[in-house]
Amino acid sequence: MLNDLDQWVAGQWEFFPLSKSFQSRTGETLAKKRTNLKEGYLVRYADDFKILCKDGKTAQKWYHAVRLYLKDHLGLDISPEKSQIVNLRKRESEFLGFTIRADKKGKKRVARTGIKTSKKRKIKEEAKKLIRRIRTSPSAMNALLFNSFVLGIHQYFKRATKVNLEFSRLAYDLGAFIYNHLRPVGKYGHPANPPPTYKKMYPNRFKTFQIAGVYLFPLSDVKTLNAFGFTPKMTPFTEEGRNMIHKKLRSDIQSEIGLLMKSTLPNRSIEYMDNRISRYSMKMGKCEITGAELPAADVHCHHYVPLSLGGNDQFDNLRILHKGIHKLIHATNKKMIDGLTKGFRLTGDMINKVNRFRRKCELETI
């Protein structure tokens, strides 16, 4: 429903049709500035949105125009408590856990974004809860749960321009608590030989604890990732928008890695758990037979040389597969084999790869 609002706001300024054509967006924008149009840019997530304007007068126009549009066209009322006009030059505004302020830099204003106070308080509470859990039971699984939490908040907040300062302060505030709780159950220092995933995501080698063979991800080791805007035309509600989404679509590997870290695999070694994640990361989350992108729920990690035949949990002996392909490699029932082969529409090259895996398992080819 709110896609209508997106298109309406964009049509009031960004895509407002002009009688004269211009060779560049800059010329078009300058021409619009000489009119009485309301200059504004919408940022929305679900039903939470902001419209950024150049001054208070324009903001007042937008406030009343949007209120009337939502009421008349969509039958929605805005919340007087939450809906307000904020001068970002003078004070911060909050949006989706972030704080936003327009600070002066030279002759311009730039966005300074951080983490809202209540969110930082929740991060501290959750971190302490996970640390207490590790202290009570210093297992690899609890260490991986902590890492999944840290990776998740890093991935979400690293779009903030002050993310390094914010997390450095959080790490400082939690430093004594973490050290005192984990010193009896872990080893503290610079990672000596961390797994590939750790090296890739946290290359600065900050001091951290090693719990049951797992290095904890450091809270303070994060830097800003530039966030790029996108056009309102990129929407799933039109054919043009769907085509644009498809062209830009790529799997968010690190968020899927966070989900893999949370998964419970009993009777698996720490080496297997680390190398499984490293292999998934190296293969960019794709099945090593079909090439399809795999969400965490569909990931199986196969021993190329089975453990029962002398294989091990080392990185080079693991393969990332779709769970259905993994079932096909070990299947002995002809009906199941035929069903899986047809279901995945395997090509000749893919079947050759499957047969190579099956021969390593000492099974007949298909």
Side-chain angles (χ1 to χ4, degrees), residues 146-193:
F146 178 84
N147 284 350
S148 176
F149 165 71
V150 172
L151 183 63
I153 56 177
H154 280 174
Q155 288 302 305
Y156 184 79
F157 285 110
K158 69 181 181 181
R159 272 77 181 174
T161 58
K162 299 194 297 181
V163 65
N164 184 263
L165 291 174
E166 297 279 30
F167 275 96
S168 293
R169 183 68 202 188
L170 283 169
Y172 177 81
D173 292 344
L174 290 166
F177 178 88
I178 293 174
Y179 185 81
N180 291 333
H181 276 71
L182 298 186
R183 184 175 55 178
V185 296
K187 182 181 179 182
Y188 186 68
H190 295 286
N193 187 28

Side-chain angles (χ1 to χ4, degrees), residues 3-18 25 28-29 31-42 51-53 58 61-70 73 232:
N3 175 62
D4 293 342
L5 174 67
D6 299 345
Q7 305 305 321
W8 177 77
V9 172
Q12 296 292 298
W13 175 259
E14 287 183 84
F15 297 108
F16 186 88
L18 298 178
R25 290 292 300 272
E28 187 179 298
T29 302
K32 290 177 183 177
K33 286 179 181 289
R34 294 192 292 268
T35 69
N36 292 322
L37 294 174
K38 305 183 294 295
E39 183 177 359
Y41 302 90
L42 175 73
I51 297 178
L52 304 179
C53 314
T58 306
K61 290 180 180 179
W62 271 113
Y63 179 87
H64 294 293
V66 170
R67 181 177 61 81
L68 290 173
Y69 179 86
L70 290 174
H73 291 79

